[in-house]
Amino acid sequence: MPTEPPYLRIAAALREEISQGERPPGAKVPSTRQLASTHGVATATAAKALDVLRRERLIHAEPRSGHVVAGQHAATESKRPVLTRDRLVRTAIAIADAEGVAALSMRGLAARLGVPAMAPYRYLSGKDELVFLMADTVYGETGYPAREPEGWRAQLELSARTLWSVHRRHPWLAHLVPLTRPWPLPNLAAHNERALAALSVFGLNAADLCDLNVLFYNHIQGTAIHLERERHAVGASGITEDQWMETQARGYAALTGSGRYPVLARMVQDLAEGYDLDLDHLFEIGLQALLDGLAVRYPVGGKVSGRLA
């Protein structure tokens, strides 16, 4: 798992020195050149570290002196909101939303909040507990109307779209909880309860009911996984989806021109004017196809014995 960016590590080290009194008010802060040399980073990275502390008002620039420790840093610290488990979790969610879970670490979280590196451990045992609480928190962000819609299909549509909206807001979520090793998240259980209640109308045994619930959730999670993957691909490659497709044009031309894949070739030719893969649209198509299949396979109130064929 990648650690926090180098500039946050540098900022955290300086912040610790200031909080421990090693750099008292008025003391000069190392220049970007000195920090770059000491930590083996680019001067731009060192400058970002100083910018973090400047925004936190722990240091300020003085003419001809560079950066110095602010005289009121202790007062500034006392005005910060009290550190709590909820504040840690909410801040971690914001980091994951912006940068992905891979960019999250306990030290980086402390740096973001401007507290000593070990401060989060007073409230959390470690990153595993933090991520567990993050997932449960976001699953609990969206509720349901007090009055249920009529019919199992409308109920499942509401449940699916509600969960999809959660994954839409937090693309990292789909990568956390494997279907084969589910987590005991209370707020996810609330979503499951609604889906199970709607599916129960088919009169299935427990094993089949569980299979259908997993299948239902898998459609949501399986589609949502690509939200984060595309964002990661853009970040890693530096190019958009359309730009990436342009780089693959020669390879696809070889495939479609080989004569071995005639249906693929016709489809690609028909889409020559352009095609946008819309995950929201794909989610809706898959949801309706899944519900259509359930409606055909199971008569409402019908009893089905044994495992699904």
Side-chain angles (χ1 to χ4, degrees):
M1 186 72 67
T3 58
E4 68 271 20
Y7 77 93
L8 288 181
R9 295 202 303 271
I10 297 171
L14 288 171
R15 188 185 298 106
E16 186 77 5
E17 292 175 2
I18 294 171
S19 67
Q20 296 297 323
E22 297 175 25
R23 295 186 184 276
K28 192 170 182 178
V29 178
S31 67
T32 54
R33 288 181 179 274
Q34 290 172 320
L35 290 173
S37 175
T38 301
H39 295 276
V41 298
T43 54
T45 300
K48 286 180 68 176
L50 292 179
D51 187 54
V52 169
L53 298 181
R54 191 165 53 248
R55 292 199 306 270
E56 294 173 0
R57 299 183 181 180
L58 290 178
I59 64 173
H60 64 263
E62 287 191 352
R64 297 182 297 277
S65 296
H67 286 90
V68 299
V69 176
Q72 299 300 319
H73 76 274
T76 301
E77 285 286 337
S78 65
K79 294 178 183 178
R80 287 201 178 108
V82 175
L83 192 62
T84 63
R85 174 181 284 203
D86 181 69
R87 186 177 173 220
L88 288 164
V89 171
R90 297 289 179 183
T91 303
I93 290 170
I95 293 172
D97 287 347
E99 305 174 43
V101 174
L104 181 64
S105 70
M106 297 293 281
R107 182 179 290 273
L109 179 59
R112 181 68 61 92
L113 290 167
V115 298
M118 298 304 293
Y121 290 98
R122 296 201 299 268
Y123 306 89
L124 300 162
S125 61
K127 184 175 178 179
D128 287 348
E129 183 183 11
L130 172 64
V131 173
F132 182 95
L133 293 172
M134 289 167 59
D136 192 49
T137 298
V138 297
Y139 276 124
E141 284 180 347
T142 304
Y144 292 90
R147 186 173 181 178
E148 285 272 9
E150 293 290 335
W152 66 266
R153 183 168 188 136
Q155 292 165 11
L156 286 176
E157 285 178 337
L158 176 60
S159 181
R161 289 168 186 155
T162 300
L163 276 169
W164 175 249
S165 71
V166 173
H167 284 86
R168 240 346 196 143
R169 288 193 302 274
H170 308 288
W172 47 270
L173 182 61
H175 294 263
L176 295 185
V177 187
L179 290 175
T180 54
R181 301 185 182 190
W183 295 0
L185 300 169
N187 285 320
L188 178 56
H191 290 285
N192 282 331
E193 181 67 18
R194 295 185 72 94
L196 287 168
L199 291 167
S200 295
V201 73
F202 298 130
L204 302 175
N205 62 41
D208 287 347
L209 182 62
C210 184
D211 283 344
L212 287 188
N213 186 49
V214 171
L215 181 66
F216 173 74
Y217 182 73
N218 182 60
H219 168 61
I220 303 164
Q221 183 189 52
T223 308
I225 278 176
H226 300 285
L227 296 168
E228 181 79 354
R229 285 181 176 173
E230 172 56 22
R231 186 169 71 173
H232 176 76
V234 171
S237 65
I239 61 176
T240 67
E241 179 185 352
D242 289 340
Q243 291 169 331
W244 184 86
M245 288 300 295
E246 289 175 5
T247 68
Q248 307 302 310
R250 181 176 297 180
Y252 273 104
L255 281 176
T256 57
S258 68
R260 297 173 59 191
Y261 314 104
V263 179
L264 173 65
R266 285 196 301 273
M267 182 187 74
V268 171
Q269 183 178 1
D270 290 345
L271 295 176
E273 295 302 316
Y275 168 72
D276 292 324
L277 180 60
D278 184 339
L279 290 177
D280 291 303
H281 180 59
L282 193 66
F283 162 75
E284 280 294 337
I285 292 175
L287 175 61
Q288 295 307 321
L290 176 60
L291 299 182
D292 287 346
L294 291 179
V296 171
R297 186 177 182 100
Y298 303 108
V300 174
K303 298 293 182 179
V304 180
S305 60
R307 298 306 304 275
L308 295 174

